[in-house]
Amino acid sequence: MFKTKDTGPVADAIKRHWVDTRLPPALRPFARLARWERPIGWYLLMWPCLWSLALASNVAGAPIPNIWYAVLMFIGAVAMRGAGCTYNDIVDKDIDDKVERTRSRPIPSGQVTSRQAKIFTILQALVGLIVLLQFNGFAIVLGASSLVIVAAYPFMKRITDWPQLVLGLAFSWGALFGWAAVFGSLSLAPILLYCGGVLWTIGYDTIYAHQDKEDDALVGVRSTARLFGEKTRQALVFLYGATLLFFAGALAFAGSGPVAFVGLTLGALHLFNQIRVLDINDPDQCLALFRSNSTFGLILFAGLVLDGLATYYF
């Protein structure tokens, strides 16, 4: 059932990664399905969770976020990002086979079968379920409800120019979840944080999608990269600008202190530097700028944590 064929790394994966050098050959295709060699995906899924957790912790008067919750969110992000990528590859196997960057992925290259990939998806989802069950009832229901959006996402590139919007709805769900984990409810602050996270995701994934715009046009895949085209920079000014406004609103309604706003300001400089240097016709640079959004996530999280410490001790 789990016999695989290791035909080598995926074309756009990190070269000489531990997945390709240290894992047993039979496990490598599954690790590639889950994108273990590309942690940027679970970074971007994890940061909204940690932002929300830190913001809620500050409101609750805790000096730092709950470490156990943070560890669970990390595990959940890795598991559910892997499950989502595997599910996406199952749905997109015919498209991936026609795109140069993706035809070496495990399913179109024959490293694993669709049946094996489906079993692997279920196993990863079970890990995510175990993590989810560690939280309160409201958070469990909230977390499970995101699966509707996750299931719909792979099909959106076939029917709308805005698949990045649906990705944002899914990837930013943690902005609601972290708050719910602390309080067992929602309020305006996490909702504003979520809205900002959705717009941030549209922005960074538009940059990412510029890598494939020629192939996407040939196979009929739609994206905001193709929609915005040469006006991508102007679109990013709006998307990132609105992101920052929503985040500022979330901090204000949560009663955050000045250190949190300093973090947001430094994050703003990082985002607008992406816009300043962006060359949509340079795939390598687009990938590097996309990955740099994890730095933005870290900056914002650090600002929230330091603000909590400053408020508690000073």
Side-chain angles (χ1 to χ4, degrees):
M1 179 185 299
F2 290 100
K3 185 177 180 180
T4 61
K5 179 175 62 175
D6 180 14
T7 59
V10 177
D12 63 344
I14 298 171
K15 309 307 179 188
R16 303 299 298 170
H17 191 270
W18 64 268
V19 165
D20 299 316
T21 59
R22 298 185 180 180
L23 275 185
L27 296 180
R28 292 174 189 171
F30 294 107
R32 292 170 190 144
L33 276 174
R35 312 291 199 273
W36 289 349
E37 83 284 12
R38 284 177 273 185
I40 182 61
W42 52 258
Y43 286 149
L44 296 175
L45 186 60
M46 179 184 65
W47 285 128
C49 297
L50 295 185
W51 298 338
S52 185
L53 177 65
L55 191 64
S57 299
N58 292 354
V59 172
I64 61 172
N66 185 303
I67 300 299
W68 174 237
Y69 283 0
V71 170
L72 288 172
M73 289 173 183
F74 164 74
I75 297 171
V78 175
M80 294 312 297
R81 188 264 184 144
C85 286
T86 307
Y87 170 70
N88 187 79
D89 283 7
I90 293 169
V91 174
D92 283 352
K93 60 182 180 180
D94 294 331
I95 292 177
D96 285 346
D97 192 42
K98 300 173 184 176
V99 176
E100 181 178 358
R101 186 177 63 84
T102 59
R103 63 168 54 103
S104 58
R105 286 179 175 174
I107 298 177
S109 65
Q111 295 180 44
V112 298
T113 65
S114 293
R115 182 170 182 268
Q116 290 171 329
K118 290 174 183 176
I119 294 172
F120 187 49
T121 301
I122 293 170
L123 293 175
Q124 293 175 94
L126 286 174
V127 173
L129 176 61
I130 292 170
V131 168
L132 185 61
L133 292 176
Q134 308 310 305
F135 294 95
N136 62 66
F138 182 84
I140 291 172
V141 173
L142 181 68
S145 62
S146 69
L147 294 178
V148 176
I149 303 172
V150 173
Y153 167 67
F155 301 98
M156 294 299 104
K157 63 175 70 77
R158 297 165 170 83
I159 62 175
T160 177
D161 292 326
W162 291 88
Q164 281 71 25
L165 170 60
V166 183
L167 180 69
L169 294 173
F171 255 59
S172 300
W173 203 258
L176 303 174
F177 186 81
W179 186 282
V182 174
F183 292 115
S185 63
L186 291 176
S187 70
L188 183 57
I191 292 172
L192 292 174
L193 191 68
Y194 177 65
C195 292
V198 172
L199 294 171
W200 175 57
T201 305
I202 297 172
Y204 70 62
D205 205 60
T206 296
I207 295 174
Y208 182 82
H210 270 289
Q211 297 177 91
D212 298 326
K213 57 192 174 188
E214 289 83 8
D215 284 335
D216 287 348
L218 290 174
V219 300
V221 168
R222 301 161 73 174
S223 71
T224 49
R226 293 185 60 201
L227 176 66
F228 299 151
E230 295 298 325
K231 295 183 178 179
T232 292
R233 183 173 278 106
Q234 295 94 311
L236 288 174
V237 169
F238 170 78
L239 289 166
Y240 282 166
T243 293
L244 296 167
L245 288 175
F246 275 116
F247 285 172
L251 298 184
F253 277 101
S256 297
V259 179
F261 284 94
V262 169
L264 182 60
T265 301
L266 293 175
L269 294 175
H270 179 83
L271 290 181
F272 283 105
N273 185 62
Q274 291 182 32
I275 299 172
R276 182 183 67 84
V277 303
L278 175 64
D279 179 358
I280 60 173
N281 296 312
D282 183 345
D284 291 337
Q285 190 219 42
C286 287
L287 180 59
L289 290 177
F290 161 75
R291 288 174 174 165
S292 76
N293 279 277
S294 184
T295 302
F296 171 78
L298 177 60
I299 292 170
L300 188 57
F301 178 64
L304 290 167
V305 172
L306 292 175
D307 189 63
L309 288 168
T311 301
Y312 187 84
Y313 288 108
F314 300 104

